[in-house]
């Protein structure tokens, strides 16, 4: 008999200190381990409409949020880089202005000296005071290509000349600046004067590079140069990081960290590879915390409620993870920061408790002398409106304390985010999984199917007409077909007819739009994730009790995929091994409604296995083999004993544990949980949803079938009879119910 596996605790106390959580509503008398909880302690803002002295700007800016240009002065469109001046003030650098070379010729590149008047738990103005500024300029003609003000004495630099994004200050007061049009490294003195020729990036040019030869293919995508750059404490080395992948890189999640020697003003040739959570994610900023150690921002391009990844990771360049990339550990999820004093409350979306920074361009992280983190945003004026619809985002600076708190003791009942948090986001998207993690789910559950070229992706079914926008892609119209899947005829589009590259062009949509209309607001935003991306998200996250988030993949239609030569088992096991999850106590469960593939998997992997059991019918592999056994027979005492020879648990349809009466209420519990426990099997139940139509009659509220009922009450009824874990579309409700 296989032993039941449990979640592993983080390997070391150091690791635990770097992995933050936010505490759910739990009983205060059940303390757990000490963990780090990022907490907002100060915040200050600068009005998006603030204008600094200087000529008008934004004549060609794209109008948005009721702000058409030109503007009667120099806009400050947020901060892309910040330097701590050490006295409570900062040097803050906006980027190139309005988003492109073509519309930013009237935007002057500057570093502003700013003083936050913090709002804290004791009050305060919560405003950013703008003082003097340094103008970037080239009076000594270091630049040998045309610039906007090339015929003037000062040769002030503009957003049409460079897209400045990251900044490091040297001990002599000079600044090194990373930019994106080259990408180049710029060295300016304490007054902003360019000291040397812009240093080109030897690994490639962007489409905006002034030295790009006719017919030369850029290796750097537009606006994907040096958004981030860290500087060693002694000032000797810079570490610029490409915001995006190289155009010709087959691994589009790879970002390159390079080493630059400021003494020789040459790249050393030493590089490291960083892996983002998804292809489209970007590296927004970096800050060195020690030799070969740094903080980096990884973010997506979404804003407001649509935001998914706004994270700060700690990197150790001298250590590799299981994929061979630099090791990264979560330090801060900027979408979930404890805010017990309600600092900034009422300023729009995300300013309650927890506080979040749901802006598109989360682009600044600085570790202050006392260890706290300063974070800030580029507001992309006038386009971003993450906080208040129709109002340009203000520039925000916030201080986050990585304080230690007592975590809640882990509940005895496991909460599995069913297809993520599918009650709140379209299922099987990184957005859905990340929402489940923030809601304190112990596991996230991807259903696994295969593409034509053998890549495992997360979809509830291989038919994707109802969960993606494939019908809106005329190039795939010819792939619509009718197939028989597990004895059922289905018409639509199927993953096995798409290459992975084709599938990545599609976007997810809500599967139950009539039931969950709020979720349709996110239709068309999110990619179809691979199993590897889901696993990576889980292993770079922690649950609210300080443990690594688990992943609970389900193999869908394994007999059918075997018939196509697209076996799910071997690539699944390969993914587990590649991610260090092929072990007894790994935070993983592998599940299936079929029996044969679980028996096969029991010889291929040491990971825990779970036999799924439906309320009716039979496993398709048994049907295909002419075996008359049904699901009901699998959960008899002898059937459960047989399951225990190859699996560690069962995932049961709710009605097998507590059947419904004729009136639709919960009836008398069966003995299935007791029999399963006797043979050493964990019992997880599915699926717990909050809408009335899915609830027993006594837990419905009102008469609207799509109205929200008492899901917590239903869950508690099942926990009382011994259920070990719940699959829920609403993991926040489930966590509250079992705590």
């Amino acid at each position: 008999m296989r032993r039941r596996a449990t979640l592993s605790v983080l390997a070391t106390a150091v690791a635990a200190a770097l992995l933050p959580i936010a505490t759910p509503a739990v009983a205060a008398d059940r303390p757990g381990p000490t963990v780090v909880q990022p907490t907002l302690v100060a915040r200050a803002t600068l009005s998006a409409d603030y204008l600094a002295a200087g000529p008008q700007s934004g004549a060609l800016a794209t109008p948005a949020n009721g702000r058409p240009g030109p503007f009667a002065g120099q806009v400050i469109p947020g901060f892309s880089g910040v330097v701590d001046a050490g006295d409570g003030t900062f040097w803050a650098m906006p980027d190139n202005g309005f988003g492109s070379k073509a519309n930013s010729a009237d935007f002057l590149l500057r570093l502003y000296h700013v003083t936050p008047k913090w709002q804290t738990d004791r009050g305060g103005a919560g405003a950013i005071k703008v003082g003097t500024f340094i103008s970037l300029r080239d009076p000594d003609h270091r630049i040998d290509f045309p610039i906007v003000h090339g015929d003037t004495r000062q040769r002030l630099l503009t957003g049409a000349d460079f897209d400045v994004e990251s900044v490091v200050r040297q001990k002599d007061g000079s600044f090194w600046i990373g930019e994106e049009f080259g990408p180049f490294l710029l060295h300016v003195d304490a007054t902003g004067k360019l000291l040397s020729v812009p240093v080109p990036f030897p690994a490639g040019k962007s489409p905006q590079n002034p030295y790009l030869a006719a017919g030369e293919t850029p290796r750097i995508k537009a606006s994907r140069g040096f958004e981030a750059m860290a500087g060693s404490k002694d000032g000797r080395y810079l570490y610029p990081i490409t915001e995006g992948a190289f155009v010709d890189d087959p691994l589009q999640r790879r970002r390159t960290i390079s080493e630059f020697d400021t003494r020789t003003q040459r790249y050393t040739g030493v590089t490291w590879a960083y892996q983002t959570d998804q292809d489209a994610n970007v590296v927004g900023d970096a800050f060195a915390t020690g030799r070969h150690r740094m903080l980096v921002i990884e973010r997506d391009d979404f804003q407001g409620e649509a935001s998914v990844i706004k994270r700060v990771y700690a990197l150790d360049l001298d250590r590799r993870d299981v994929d061979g990339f630099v090791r990264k550990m979560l330090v801060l999820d900027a979408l979930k920061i404890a805010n017990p004093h309600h600092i900034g409350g009422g300023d729009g979306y995300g300013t309650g408790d927890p506080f979040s920074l749901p802006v598109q361009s989360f682009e600044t992280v600085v570790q202050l002398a006392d260890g706290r983190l300063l974070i800030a945003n580029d507001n992309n004026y006038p386009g971003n409106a993450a906080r208040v619809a129709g109002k340009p985002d203000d520039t925000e600076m916030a201080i986050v304390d990585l304080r230690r708190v007592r975590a809640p003791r882990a509940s005895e009942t496991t909460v599995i985010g069913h297809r993520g948090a599918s009650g709140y986001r379209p299922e099987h998207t990184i957005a859905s999984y990340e929402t489940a993690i923030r809601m304190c789910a112990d596991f996230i559950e991807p259903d696994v199917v295969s593409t034509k070229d053998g890549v495992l992706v997360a979809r509830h079914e291989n038919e994707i007409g109802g969960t993606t926008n494939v019908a809106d892609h005329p190039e795939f119209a010819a792939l619509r077909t009718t197939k028989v899947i597990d004895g059922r005829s289905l018409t639509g589009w199927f993953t096995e007819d798409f290459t992975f590259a084709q599938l990545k062009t599609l976007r997810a949509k809500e599967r139950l739009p009539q039931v969950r209309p709020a979720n349709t607001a996110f239709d068309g935003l999110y990619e179809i994730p691979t199993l590897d991306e889901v696993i990576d998200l889980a292993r770079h996250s922690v649950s609210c009790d300080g443990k690594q988030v688990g992943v609970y993949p389900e193999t869908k239609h394994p007999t059918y995929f075997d018939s196509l030569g697209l076996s799910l088992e071997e690539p699944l096991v390969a993914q587990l091994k590649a991610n260090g999850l092929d072990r007894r106590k790994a935070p993983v469960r592998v599940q299936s409604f079929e029996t044969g593939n679980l028996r096969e998997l029991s010889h291929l992997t040491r990971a825990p296995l779970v036999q799924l059991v439906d309320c009716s019918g039979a496993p398709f592999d048994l049907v295909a083999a002419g075996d008359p056994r049904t699901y009901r027979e699998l959960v008899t005492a002898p059937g459960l004993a047989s399951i225990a020879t190859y699996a560690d648990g069962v995932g049961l349809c709710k009605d097998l544990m507590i059947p419904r009466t004729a009136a639709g209420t919960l009836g008398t519990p069966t003995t299935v949980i007791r029999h399963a426990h006797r043979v050493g099997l964990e019992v997880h139940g599915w699926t717990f949803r909050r809408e009335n139509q899915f609830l027993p009659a006594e837990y419905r509220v009102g008469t609207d079938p799509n109205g929200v009922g008492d899901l917590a009450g239903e869950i508690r009824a099942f926990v009382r009879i011994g259920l070990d874990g719940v699959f829920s579309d609403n993991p926040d409700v489930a966590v509250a119910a079992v705590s």
Side-chain angles (χ1 to χ4, degrees), residues 239-275:
Y239 299 95
I241 308 174
T242 55
E243 184 178 17
F246 291 123
V247 172
D248 55 356
D249 193 336
L251 299 177
Q252 286 293 294
R253 292 170 64 193
R254 175 159 43 207
R255 308 292 179 263
T256 299
I257 305 171
S258 300
E259 185 177 67
F260 179 82
D261 189 333
T262 61
R263 292 184 188 174
T264 64
Q265 298 205 11
R266 294 180 181 274
Y267 285 89
T268 66
V270 178
T271 62
W272 296 266
Y274 172 90
Q275 187 180 45

Side-chain angles (χ1 to χ4, degrees), residues 447-659:
D447 295 335
V448 177
V449 295
S450 180
T451 65
K452 184 178 183 178
D453 44 355
V455 178
L456 299 186
V457 296
R459 287 290 87 193
H460 173 52
E461 294 289 345
N462 54 326
E463 198 290 302
I464 56 174
T467 61
T468 74
N469 63 355
V470 62
D472 299 330
H473 285 253
E475 68 273 25
F476 299 135
L479 294 181
R480 189 171 190 268
T481 187
T482 299
K483 298 187 178 189
V484 177
I485 312 295
D486 291 3
R488 295 176 56 226
S489 180
L490 295 173
T491 298
W493 291 265
F494 298 85
T495 59
E496 63 269 22
D497 296 330
F498 290 77
T499 65
F500 172 62
Q502 290 174 324
L503 203 64
K504 272 292 186 180
T505 67
L506 304 180
R507 295 295 180 267
K509 69 177 186 180
E510 172 56 36
R511 184 176 63 90
L512 302 171
Q514 301 304 315
V515 178
R516 294 164 178 168
N519 285 10
T520 63
F522 308 101
D523 284 357
L525 296 182
Y526 305 126
E527 294 182 359
I528 312 306
T530 65
L531 174 62
D532 185 49
E533 289 170 339
V534 179
I535 291 175
D536 282 350
L537 177 70
R539 69 184 177 90
H540 291 134
S541 302
V542 288
S543 62
C544 291
D545 55 12
K547 299 176 183 178
Q548 182 177 320
V549 172
V551 63
Y552 209 129
E554 176 189 343
T555 58
K556 301 291 291 192
H557 312 298
T559 294
Y560 170 78
F561 277 105
D562 274 347
S563 73
L564 303 177
L566 293 170
S567 177
L568 303 177
E569 291 75 30
E570 292 81 5
L572 172 58
V573 171
Q575 286 290 336
L576 296 181
K577 291 181 177 178
N579 286 282
L581 296 176
D582 184 31
R583 48 191 172 86
R584 294 296 307 143
K585 293 188 177 182
V588 65
R589 304 283 191 276
V590 180
Q591 57 179 333
S592 179
F593 277 103
E594 296 190 12
T595 63
N597 72 317
L598 287 178
R599 292 180 184 275
E600 179 184 353
L601 283 165
S602 71
H603 299 292
L604 296 176
T605 180
R606 293 174 291 177
L609 306 178
V610 175
Q611 177 69 65
L612 293 174
V613 183
D614 208 342
C615 284
S616 61
F620 184 73
D621 62 312
L622 299 185
V623 173
D627 189 321
R629 284 178 294 167
T630 65
Y631 281 121
R632 292 277 178 172
E633 292 176 74
L634 292 185
V635 292
T636 61
L640 290 166
S642 177
I643 289 173
T645 64
Y646 63 85
D648 304 89
V650 287
L652 304 180
C653 169
K654 293 186 296 184
D655 289 357
L656 293 174
M657 296 174 283
I658 308 180

Side-chain angles (χ1 to χ4, degrees), residues 419-434:
R419 309 174 195 172
S422 51
Y424 310 106
R425 297 293 186 274
E427 66 186 31
H428 294 310
T429 59
I430 293 297
S432 183
Y433 300 128
E434 168 64 4

Side-chain angles (χ1 to χ4, degrees), residues 367-396:
Q367 186 179 57
L368 303 177
D370 59 9
R372 299 182 301 174
L373 300 185
L374 172 79
I375 59 176
N377 68 303
D378 172 358
N379 66 27
N380 296 311
Y381 187 84
N384 287 169
R387 294 289 193 199
V388 179
K391 178 183 179 296
D393 284 331
D394 292 336
T395 301
E396 302 185 34

Side-chain angles (χ1 to χ4, degrees), residues 95-110:
D95 61 11
N96 85 309
F98 303 103
S100 71
K101 288 176 71 79
N103 67 8
S104 299
D106 57 5
F107 182 83
L108 299 176
L109 302 184
R110 295 171 171 176

